[in-house]
Amino acid sequence: MSQLELPENLVAELVGNAPLGAWVASLPALLADVAASWALTVGRPYQPGGATSWTAPARDGAGRPLALKIAHRHPEARHEAEALADWDGRGAVRLVRSRVVGDSNVLLLERCEPGTLLRDALPAAAQDAVLAGVLRRLWIEPAAHRYQPLSDMCARWADDFEERVAGDPGLARAGVALFRELPASATDEVLLHTDLHPGNVLASTREPWLAIDPKPHAGDPTYDALQHMLNSPDRLVADPLGFGRRLAALLGLDPVRLRHWLFARCVLEGPGRPWLAAVARAVAP
């Protein structure tokens, strides 16, 4: 493992995480096997990279520019390859081939060129419009029985929250109750990215912008607006209601429902990001 360069974010995530450390220890052998069996020349990993994956530029025997991603099969990202295959390049990076090896997802992907991050390319208001356009393309009908329901993920997160919650008990109860209830009350069900923000959208020559790194689930499209908001702390703190109304309009969503989702998610994220408590109070139903 000492000879394999690691992404900075993965190194940070290893602190106190023994299971992830065991997975990282298996990477050199797996990388060597994949490179040999798929006839790949693999470069140094992208930095700062992902927290639970190793991704690097690669070329196949024909010299095609590709990207090789080896990802830990944690519950949220288990079906990344299936989602990319179902999108088939529409709004997302195209999957070339994949396989599962133990607790690893191995994905060979088209390489986005020039690969500039949306967050580095455009001002905030323009990022909103691009991200909304990408999401609308990703919201297709999910293949039956292929993806975990959003309600399952929300239930896991709610259970974990209730084990460690501290702070305003009334606010906490209301937030976690909504987080459990909202998935079941959705009138639409689509294939969700669940982690789309301007750091997961890249400039490309095939399409202007392509999504990467999905954590796919099936469920309420309103949920998919949240990660962008949480990744924009200055805007979220300054005007959470206005930010929500803007995204709801761009995405064709019910602004009240988005407000409820935002409140619930801010409550659950609050223990790790105390600044979200003020946002939760500002948008509370």
Side-chain angles (χ1 to χ4, degrees):
M1 186 178 73
S2 61
Q3 297 182 3
L4 179 65
E5 182 179 353
L6 298 178
E8 295 170 8
N9 287 335
L10 179 55
V11 171
E13 194 71 16
L14 285 172
V15 177
N17 192 332
L20 190 64
W23 176 77
V24 167
S26 72
L27 281 178
L30 178 55
L31 175 59
D33 178 67
V34 169
S37 60
W38 288 353
L40 300 175
T41 301
V42 183
R44 298 174 64 184
Y46 293 112
Q47 296 289 359
T52 58
S53 62
W54 190 95
T55 306
R59 291 187 181 271
D60 63 8
R64 284 188 300 171
L66 302 167
L68 176 66
K69 178 176 182 178
I70 305 177
H72 187 244
R73 278 174 60 81
H74 59 86
E76 279 74 39
R78 188 169 295 271
H79 296 290
E80 179 177 0
E82 291 90 335
L84 293 174
D86 285 348
W87 286 320
D88 192 25
R90 296 183 300 272
V93 66
R94 180 168 279 132
L95 177 71
V96 176
R97 65 193 302 180
S98 67
R99 75 188 204 199
V100 175
V101 181
D103 57 357
S104 297
N105 279 336
V106 184
L107 303 95
L108 190 61
L109 308 165
E110 77 170 300
R111 192 189 306 175
C112 288
E113 295 181 321
T116 310
L117 297 177
L118 175 59
R119 72 182 179 205
D120 297 332
L122 296 176
Q127 291 176 26
D128 294 346
V130 168
L131 188 133
V134 170
L135 274 179
R136 283 177 171 273
R137 299 195 69 201
L138 299 182
W139 288 343
I140 62 174
E141 182 178 352
H145 310 301
R146 181 172 292 180
Y147 301 103
Q148 282 189 320
L150 179 64
S151 57
D152 287 1
M153 184 181 78
C154 289
R156 278 197 312 273
W157 290 13
D159 289 344
D160 177 68
F161 174 81
E162 288 178 326
E163 289 179 2
R164 58 187 173 84
V165 66
D168 181 344
L171 202 69
R173 280 197 303 270
V176 78
L178 261 181
F179 205 68
R180 293 186 188 277
E181 294 165 6
L182 282 165
S185 63
T187 57
D188 296 318
E189 182 178 89
V190 300
L191 178 55
L192 302 171
H193 186 289
T194 80
D195 193 25
L196 198 65
H197 54 80
N200 274 343
V201 179
L202 304 183
S204 169
T205 52
R206 181 174 64 79
E207 291 190 5
W209 300 101
L210 294 173
I212 62 169
D213 200 23
K215 311 293 189 296
H217 286 72
D220 183 1
T222 311
Y223 181 87
D224 250 352
L226 297 179
Q227 197 60 54
H228 175 41
M229 301 184 76
L230 292 168
N231 278 43
S232 307
D234 292 344
R235 299 173 68 195
L236 188 56
V237 169
D239 186 11
L241 294 174
F243 195 5
R245 286 192 297 268
R246 172 173 169 76
L247 284 186
L250 287 168
L251 289 164
L253 300 171
D254 176 357
V256 175
R257 186 171 181 84
L258 178 53
R259 176 179 176 175
H260 290 177
W261 265 118
L262 179 61
F263 165 69
R265 183 78 185 269
C266 286
V267 168
L268 265 74
E269 299 266 349
R273 294 193 267 182
W275 59 270
L276 284 175
V279 178
R281 288 191 293 271
V283 301

Coordinates of all heavy atoms in Angstrom, one line a residue, residues 43-117:
G43 N -2.6 6.0 -14.8 CA -1.8 7.1 -14.3 C -2.0 7.3 -12.8 O -2.5 6.4 -12.1
R44 N -1.5 8.4 -12.4 CA -1.6 8.8 -10.9 C -3.1 9.2 -10.6 O -3.8 9.7 -11.5 CB -0.7 9.9 -10.6 CG 0.8 9.6 -10.8 CD 1.7 10.8 -10.6 NE 1.6 11.3 -9.3 CZ 2.3 12.4 -8.8 NH1 3.0 13.1 -9.7 NH2 2.2 12.7 -7.6
P45 N -3.5 9.0 -9.4 CA -4.9 9.3 -9.1 C -5.2 10.8 -9.1 O -4.3 11.6 -8.9 CB -5.1 8.7 -7.6 CG -3.7 8.8 -7.1 CD -2.8 8.5 -8.2
Y46 N -6.5 11.1 -9.4 CA -6.9 12.5 -9.4 C -6.9 12.9 -7.9 O -7.2 12.2 -7.0 CB -8.3 12.6 -9.9 CG -8.5 12.3 -11.4 CD1 -9.1 11.1 -11.8 CD2 -7.9 13.1 -12.3 CE1 -9.3 10.9 -13.2 CE2 -8.1 12.9 -13.7 CZ -8.7 11.7 -14.1 OH -8.8 11.5 -15.5
Q47 N -6.5 14.2 -7.7 CA -6.4 14.8 -6.4 C -7.4 16.0 -6.3 O -7.6 16.7 -7.3 CB -5.0 15.3 -6.1 CG -4.0 14.2 -6.0 CD -4.1 13.3 -4.8 OE1 -5.0 13.5 -4.0 NE2 -3.2 12.3 -4.7
P48 N -8.1 16.2 -5.2 CA -7.9 15.5 -4.0 C -8.7 14.2 -3.9 O -8.6 13.4 -3.0 CB -8.5 16.5 -2.9 CG -9.5 17.2 -3.7 CD -9.0 17.4 -5.1
G49 N -9.5 13.9 -5.0 CA -10.2 12.6 -5.1 C -11.3 12.4 -4.2 O -11.8 13.3 -3.5
G50 N -11.8 11.2 -4.2 CA -13.0 10.8 -3.4 C -12.6 10.3 -2.0 O -11.4 9.9 -1.8
A51 N -13.5 10.3 -1.1 CA -13.3 9.8 0.2 C -13.3 8.3 0.3 O -12.8 7.7 1.3 CB -14.3 10.4 1.2
T52 N -14.0 7.6 -0.6 CA -14.1 6.1 -0.5 C -13.8 5.5 -1.9 O -14.3 4.4 -2.2 CB -15.5 5.7 0.0 OG1 -16.5 6.3 -0.9 CG2 -15.8 6.2 1.4
S53 N -13.0 6.1 -2.7 CA -12.7 5.6 -4.0 C -11.3 6.0 -4.4 O -10.7 6.9 -3.9 CB -13.7 6.0 -5.0 OG -13.7 7.4 -5.2
W54 N -10.8 5.3 -5.4 CA -9.5 5.6 -6.1 C -9.7 5.7 -7.5 O -10.2 4.7 -8.2 CB -8.5 4.5 -5.8 CG -7.0 4.7 -6.2 CD1 -6.1 5.2 -5.3 CD2 -6.4 4.6 -7.4 NE1 -4.9 5.4 -6.0 CE2 -5.1 4.9 -7.3 CE3 -6.9 4.1 -8.7 CZ2 -4.2 4.9 -8.4 CZ3 -6.0 4.0 -9.8 CH2 -4.7 4.4 -9.6
T55 N -9.5 6.9 -8.1 CA -9.8 7.1 -9.5 C -8.6 7.8 -10.2 O -8.0 8.7 -9.6 CB -11.0 8.1 -9.6 OG1 -12.1 7.5 -8.9 CG2 -11.5 8.2 -11.1
A56 N -8.3 7.3 -11.4 CA -7.1 7.8 -12.1 C -7.4 7.8 -13.6 O -8.2 7.0 -14.1 CB -5.9 7.0 -11.8
P57 N -6.7 8.6 -14.4 CA -6.8 8.5 -15.8 C -6.2 7.2 -16.3 O -5.2 6.7 -15.7 CB -6.0 9.8 -16.3 CG -5.0 10.1 -15.2 CD -5.8 9.7 -13.9
A58 N -6.7 6.7 -17.4 CA -6.2 5.4 -17.9 C -6.4 5.5 -19.5 O -7.1 6.3 -20.0 CB -7.0 4.3 -17.4
R59 N -5.6 4.6 -20.1 CA -5.8 4.3 -21.6 C -5.9 2.8 -21.8 O -5.2 2.1 -21.1 CB -4.7 5.0 -22.4 CG -4.7 6.5 -22.4 CD -3.7 7.1 -23.3 NE -3.7 8.6 -23.3 CZ -4.5 9.3 -24.1 NH1 -5.3 8.7 -24.9 NH2 -4.5 10.6 -23.9
D60 N -6.7 2.5 -22.8 CA -6.8 1.1 -23.1 C -5.8 0.8 -24.2 O -5.0 1.6 -24.6 CB -8.2 0.7 -23.5 CG -8.7 1.4 -24.7 OD1 -7.9 2.1 -25.4 OD2 -9.9 1.2 -25.0
G61 N -5.8 -0.5 -24.7 CA -4.9 -0.9 -25.8 C -5.0 -0.1 -27.0 O -4.0 0.0 -27.8
A62 N -6.2 0.5 -27.3 CA -6.3 1.3 -28.5 C -6.0 2.8 -28.2 O -6.1 3.6 -29.1 CB -7.8 1.2 -29.0
G63 N -5.6 3.1 -27.0 CA -5.2 4.5 -26.7 C -6.3 5.4 -26.3 O -6.1 6.6 -26.2
R64 N -7.5 4.8 -26.1 CA -8.6 5.7 -25.8 C -8.4 6.3 -24.4 O -8.0 5.6 -23.4 CB -9.9 4.9 -25.7 CG -10.5 4.5 -27.0 CD -11.9 3.9 -26.8 NE -11.8 2.7 -26.0 CZ -12.9 2.1 -25.6 NH1 -14.1 2.6 -25.8 NH2 -12.8 1.0 -24.9
P65 N -8.7 7.6 -24.2 CA -8.6 8.3 -22.9 C -9.8 7.8 -22.1 O -11.0 8.1 -22.4 CB -8.6 9.8 -23.2 CG -9.4 9.9 -24.5 CD -9.1 8.6 -25.3
L66 N -9.6 7.2 -20.9 CA -10.6 6.7 -20.0 C -10.3 7.1 -18.6 O -9.3 7.7 -18.3 CB -10.7 5.2 -20.2 CG -11.0 4.6 -21.6 CD1 -10.7 3.1 -21.6 CD2 -12.4 4.9 -22.0
A67 N -11.1 6.7 -17.7 CA -10.8 6.9 -16.3 C -11.2 5.5 -15.6 O -12.2 4.9 -15.8 CB -11.7 8.0 -15.7
L68 N -10.3 5.1 -14.7 CA -10.5 3.9 -13.9 C -10.9 4.3 -12.5 O -10.2 5.0 -11.8 CB -9.3 3.0 -13.9 CG -9.4 1.7 -13.1 CD1 -10.4 0.8 -13.6 CD2 -8.0 1.1 -12.9
K69 N -12.0 3.8 -12.0 CA -12.5 4.1 -10.7 C -12.6 2.7 -9.9 O -13.3 1.8 -10.4 CB -13.8 4.8 -10.7 CG -14.4 5.1 -9.3 CD -15.6 6.0 -9.4 CE -16.2 6.3 -8.0 NZ -17.4 7.1 -8.0
I70 N -12.0 2.6 -8.8 CA -12.2 1.5 -7.9 C -12.8 2.1 -6.6 O -12.2 2.9 -5.9 CB -10.9 0.8 -7.6 CG1 -10.2 0.3 -8.9 CG2 -11.2 -0.4 -6.7 CD1 -8.9 -0.3 -8.6
A71 N -14.0 1.7 -6.3 CA -14.8 2.3 -5.2 C -15.2 1.2 -4.2 O -15.6 0.1 -4.5 CB -16.1 3.0 -5.8
H72 N -15.2 1.7 -2.9 CA -15.6 0.8 -1.8 C -17.2 0.7 -2.0 O -17.9 1.6 -2.2 CB -15.3 1.4 -0.5 CG -15.6 0.6 0.7 ND1 -16.5 0.9 1.6 CD2 -15.1 -0.6 1.0 CE1 -16.5 -0.1 2.5 NE2 -15.7 -1.0 2.2
R73 N -17.7 -0.6 -1.8 CA -19.1 -0.8 -2.0 C -19.9 -0.5 -0.7 O -20.5 -1.4 -0.2 CB -19.3 -2.3 -2.5 CG -19.1 -2.5 -3.9 CD -19.2 -3.9 -4.3 NE -20.4 -4.6 -4.0 CZ -21.5 -4.5 -4.8 NH1 -21.5 -3.7 -5.9 NH2 -22.6 -5.1 -4.5
H74 N -19.9 0.7 -0.3 CA -20.7 1.1 0.8 C -22.2 1.2 0.3 O -22.4 1.3 -0.9 CB -20.2 2.4 1.5 CG -20.2 3.6 0.6 ND1 -21.3 4.4 0.4 CD2 -19.2 4.1 -0.2 CE1 -21.0 5.4 -0.5 NE2 -19.7 5.2 -0.8
P75 N -23.1 1.2 1.3 CA -24.5 1.0 0.9 C -25.0 2.1 -0.1 O -25.8 1.8 -1.0 CB -25.3 1.1 2.2 CG -24.3 0.6 3.2 CD -23.0 1.1 2.7
E76 N -24.6 3.3 0.1 CA -25.2 4.4 -0.8 C -24.7 4.3 -2.2 O -25.4 4.7 -3.2 CB -24.8 5.8 -0.2 CG -25.7 6.2 0.9 CD -25.5 5.5 2.2 OE1 -24.3 5.2 2.5 OE2 -26.5 5.2 2.9
A77 N -23.5 3.7 -2.4 CA -22.9 3.7 -3.8 C -22.9 2.3 -4.4 O -22.3 2.1 -5.4 CB -21.5 4.3 -3.7
R78 N -23.6 1.4 -3.9 CA -23.5 0.0 -4.3 C -23.9 -0.2 -5.8 O -23.4 -1.0 -6.5 CB -24.4 -0.9 -3.4 CG -24.3 -2.4 -3.6 CD -25.0 -3.1 -2.6 NE -24.4 -2.9 -1.3 CZ -23.4 -3.6 -0.8 NH1 -22.9 -4.6 -1.5 NH2 -22.9 -3.4 0.4
H79 N -24.9 0.6 -6.3 CA -25.4 0.4 -7.6 C -24.9 1.5 -8.6 O -25.7 1.9 -9.5 CB -26.9 0.3 -7.6 CG -27.4 -0.9 -6.8 ND1 -27.2 -2.2 -7.2 CD2 -28.0 -1.0 -5.6 CE1 -27.7 -3.0 -6.3 NE2 -28.2 -2.3 -5.3
E80 N -23.7 2.1 -8.4 CA -23.3 3.1 -9.3 C -23.2 2.7 -10.7 O -23.6 3.4 -11.6 CB -21.9 3.6 -8.8 CG -21.3 4.7 -9.7 CD -20.0 5.2 -9.1 OE1 -19.5 4.8 -8.1 OE2 -19.4 6.1 -9.8
A81 N -22.6 1.5 -10.9 CA -22.5 1.0 -12.3 C -23.8 0.8 -13.0 O -23.9 1.2 -14.2 CB -21.7 -0.3 -12.3
E82 N -24.8 0.3 -12.3 CA -26.1 0.1 -12.9 C -26.7 1.4 -13.3 O -27.3 1.5 -14.4 CB -27.0 -0.6 -11.9 CG -26.6 -2.1 -11.6 CD -25.7 -2.3 -10.5 OE1 -24.9 -1.3 -10.2 OE2 -25.6 -3.3 -9.9
A83 N -26.6 2.4 -12.5 CA -27.2 3.7 -12.8 C -26.5 4.3 -14.0 O -27.2 4.8 -15.0 CB -27.1 4.7 -11.6
L84 N -25.2 4.3 -14.1 CA -24.5 4.8 -15.2 C -24.8 4.0 -16.5 O -25.0 4.6 -17.6 CB -22.9 4.7 -15.0 CG -22.4 5.6 -13.9 CD1 -20.9 5.4 -13.6 CD2 -22.6 7.1 -14.2
A85 N -25.0 2.7 -16.4 CA -25.5 2.0 -17.5 C -26.9 2.4 -18.0 O -27.1 2.5 -19.2 CB -25.4 0.5 -17.2
D86 N -27.8 2.6 -17.0 CA -29.1 3.0 -17.4 C -29.2 4.4 -18.0 O -30.0 4.7 -18.9 CB -30.0 2.9 -16.2 CG -30.4 1.5 -15.8 OD1 -30.1 0.6 -16.6 OD2 -30.9 1.2 -14.7
W87 N -28.4 5.3 -17.5 CA -28.3 6.6 -18.1 C -27.6 6.6 -19.5 O -28.0 7.5 -20.3 CB -27.6 7.6 -17.2 CG -28.4 8.0 -16.0 CD1 -29.7 8.3 -15.9 CD2 -27.9 8.2 -14.6 NE1 -30.1 8.6 -14.6 CE2 -29.0 8.5 -13.8 CE3 -26.6 8.0 -14.0 CZ2 -28.9 8.8 -12.4 CZ3 -26.5 8.3 -12.7 CH2 -27.6 8.6 -11.9
D88 N -26.7 5.7 -19.7 CA -26.1 5.5 -21.0 C -25.5 6.8 -21.6 O -25.7 7.1 -22.7 CB -27.1 4.9 -22.0 CG -26.4 4.4 -23.2 OD1 -25.2 4.1 -23.2 OD2 -27.1 4.3 -24.3
G89 N -24.9 7.6 -20.7 CA -24.3 8.8 -21.2 C -25.2 10.0 -21.2 O -24.7 11.1 -21.6
R90 N -26.5 9.9 -20.9 CA -27.4 11.0 -21.0 C -27.3 11.8 -19.7 O -27.8 11.5 -18.6 CB -28.8 10.5 -21.2 CG -29.1 9.8 -22.5 CD -30.5 9.4 -22.6 NE -31.0 8.5 -21.6 CZ -30.9 7.2 -21.7 NH1 -30.3 6.6 -22.7 NH2 -31.3 6.5 -20.7
G91 N -26.5 12.9 -19.7 CA -26.3 13.7 -18.5 C -25.3 13.2 -17.6 O -25.0 13.9 -16.6
A92 N -24.7 12.0 -17.8 CA -23.7 11.5 -16.9 C -22.6 10.8 -17.7 O -22.7 10.5 -18.9 CB -24.4 10.4 -16.0
V93 N -21.5 10.7 -17.0 CA -20.3 10.0 -17.6 C -20.7 8.6 -18.1 O -21.5 7.9 -17.4 CB -19.1 10.0 -16.6 CG1 -19.4 9.1 -15.4 CG2 -17.9 9.6 -17.3
R94 N -20.2 8.2 -19.2 CA -20.6 6.9 -19.8 C -19.8 5.8 -19.2 O -18.5 5.9 -19.1 CB -20.5 6.9 -21.3 CG -20.8 5.6 -22.0 CD -20.9 5.8 -23.5 NE -22.2 6.4 -23.9 CZ -22.4 7.4 -24.7 NH1 -21.3 8.0 -25.2 NH2 -23.6 7.9 -25.0
L95 N -20.4 4.7 -18.9 CA -19.8 3.5 -18.4 C -19.3 2.7 -19.5 O -20.1 2.4 -20.5 CB -20.8 2.7 -17.5 CG -20.2 1.3 -17.0 CD1 -19.2 1.6 -15.9 CD2 -21.4 0.5 -16.4
V96 N -18.0 2.3 -19.5 CA -17.4 1.4 -20.6 C -17.5 0.0 -20.2 O -18.0 -0.9 -21.0 CB -16.0 1.8 -20.8 CG1 -15.3 0.9 -21.9 CG2 -15.9 3.3 -21.3
R97 N -17.1 -0.4 -19.0 CA -17.3 -1.7 -18.5 C -17.1 -1.7 -17.0 O -16.7 -0.7 -16.4 CB -16.3 -2.7 -19.1 CG -14.8 -2.4 -18.8 CD -13.8 -3.1 -19.6 NE -14.0 -4.6 -19.5 CZ -13.3 -5.4 -20.2 NH1 -12.3 -5.0 -21.0 NH2 -13.5 -6.7 -20.1
S98 N -17.6 -2.7 -16.3 CA -17.5 -2.8 -14.8 C -17.4 -4.2 -14.3 O -17.8 -5.1 -15.1 CB -18.7 -2.0 -14.2 OG -19.9 -2.7 -14.5
R99 N -17.0 -4.3 -13.1 CA -17.1 -5.6 -12.4 C -17.1 -5.4 -10.9 O -16.6 -4.4 -10.5 CB -16.0 -6.6 -12.9 CG -14.7 -6.3 -12.3 CD -13.6 -7.2 -13.0 NE -12.5 -7.5 -12.2 CZ -11.3 -7.9 -12.7 NH1 -11.2 -8.2 -14.0 NH2 -10.3 -8.1 -11.9
V100 N -17.6 -6.4 -10.2 CA -17.6 -6.3 -8.8 C -16.5 -7.3 -8.3 O -16.5 -8.5 -8.7 CB -18.9 -6.7 -8.2 CG1 -18.9 -6.8 -6.6 CG2 -20.0 -5.6 -8.6
V101 N -15.6 -6.9 -7.4 CA -14.6 -7.8 -6.8 C -14.7 -7.6 -5.3 O -14.3 -6.6 -4.8 CB -13.2 -7.4 -7.4 CG1 -12.2 -8.4 -6.8 CG2 -13.1 -7.5 -8.9
G102 N -15.2 -8.6 -4.6 CA -15.3 -8.5 -3.2 C -16.2 -7.3 -2.8 O -17.3 -7.1 -3.2
D103 N -15.6 -6.4 -2.0 CA -16.3 -5.2 -1.6 C -15.8 -4.0 -2.4 O -15.9 -2.9 -1.9 CB -16.1 -5.0 -0.1 CG -14.6 -4.8 0.3 OD1 -13.8 -5.0 -0.5 OD2 -14.4 -4.6 1.5
S104 N -15.5 -4.2 -3.7 CA -15.1 -3.1 -4.6 C -15.9 -3.1 -5.8 O -16.2 -4.2 -6.4 CB -13.6 -3.3 -5.0 OG -12.7 -3.2 -3.9
N105 N -16.3 -1.9 -6.2 CA -16.9 -1.7 -7.6 C -15.8 -1.2 -8.4 O -15.1 -0.2 -8.1 CB -18.0 -0.6 -7.5 CG -19.3 -1.1 -7.1 OD1 -19.6 -2.3 -7.2 ND2 -20.2 -0.3 -6.6
V106 N -15.5 -1.9 -9.5 CA -14.5 -1.5 -10.5 C -15.2 -1.0 -11.7 O -15.9 -1.7 -12.4 CB -13.5 -2.6 -10.8 CG1 -12.4 -2.1 -11.7 CG2 -13.0 -3.3 -9.6
L107 N -14.9 0.3 -12.1 CA -15.6 0.9 -13.2 C -14.6 1.6 -14.2 O -13.7 2.3 -13.7 CB -16.6 2.0 -12.7 CG -17.7 1.6 -11.7 CD1 -17.2 1.9 -10.3 CD2 -19.0 2.4 -12.0
L108 N -14.8 1.2 -15.4 CA -14.0 1.9 -16.5 C -14.9 2.9 -17.2 O -16.0 2.5 -17.7 CB -13.4 0.9 -17.5 CG -12.4 1.4 -18.5 CD1 -11.2 1.9 -17.8 CD2 -12.0 0.3 -19.5
L109 N -14.6 4.1 -17.2 CA -15.5 5.2 -17.6 C -14.9 6.0 -18.7 O -13.6 6.1 -18.9 CB -15.7 6.2 -16.4 CG -16.2 5.5 -15.1 CD1 -16.0 6.5 -13.9 CD2 -17.6 5.0 -15.2
E110 N -15.7 6.7 -19.5 CA -15.2 7.7 -20.4 C -14.5 8.8 -19.6 O -14.9 9.1 -18.4 CB -16.3 8.3 -21.2 CG -17.2 9.3 -20.5 CD -18.2 10.0 -21.5 OE1 -17.7 10.7 -22.4 OE2 -19.4 9.9 -21.3
R111 N -13.5 9.4 -20.2 CA -12.8 10.5 -19.5 C -13.4 11.8 -19.9 O -13.6 12.1 -21.1 CB -11.3 10.5 -19.8 CG -10.5 11.4 -18.9 CD -9.1 11.6 -19.3 NE -8.4 10.3 -19.5 CZ -7.2 10.2 -19.9 NH1 -6.5 11.3 -20.3 NH2 -6.6 9.0 -20.1
C112 N -13.8 12.6 -18.9 CA -14.4 13.9 -19.3 C -13.2 14.9 -19.6 O -12.3 15.0 -18.7 CB -15.2 14.5 -18.1 SG -16.7 13.7 -17.8
E113 N -13.2 15.5 -20.7 CA -12.2 16.4 -21.1 C -12.9 17.7 -21.6 O -13.8 17.7 -22.3 CB -11.3 15.8 -22.2 CG -10.5 14.6 -21.7 CD -9.6 14.1 -22.8 OE1 -10.1 14.0 -24.0 OE2 -8.5 13.7 -22.5
P114 N -12.5 18.9 -21.0 CA -11.3 19.1 -20.2 C -11.5 18.7 -18.7 O -10.5 18.7 -18.0 CB -11.1 20.6 -20.3 CG -12.5 21.2 -20.5 CD -13.2 20.1 -21.4
G115 N -12.7 18.4 -18.3 CA -12.8 17.9 -16.9 C -12.9 18.9 -15.9 O -12.8 18.6 -14.7
T116 N -13.1 20.2 -16.3 CA -13.2 21.3 -15.3 C -14.4 21.1 -14.4 O -15.5 20.8 -14.9 CB -13.3 22.6 -16.0 OG1 -12.2 22.7 -17.0 CG2 -13.2 23.8 -15.0
L117 N -14.2 21.3 -13.1 CA -15.4 21.2 -12.2 C -16.3 22.4 -12.4 O -15.9 23.5 -12.5 CB -14.9 21.2 -10.7 CG -14.0 20.1 -10.3 CD1 -13.6 20.3 -8.8 CD2 -14.7 18.7 -10.4

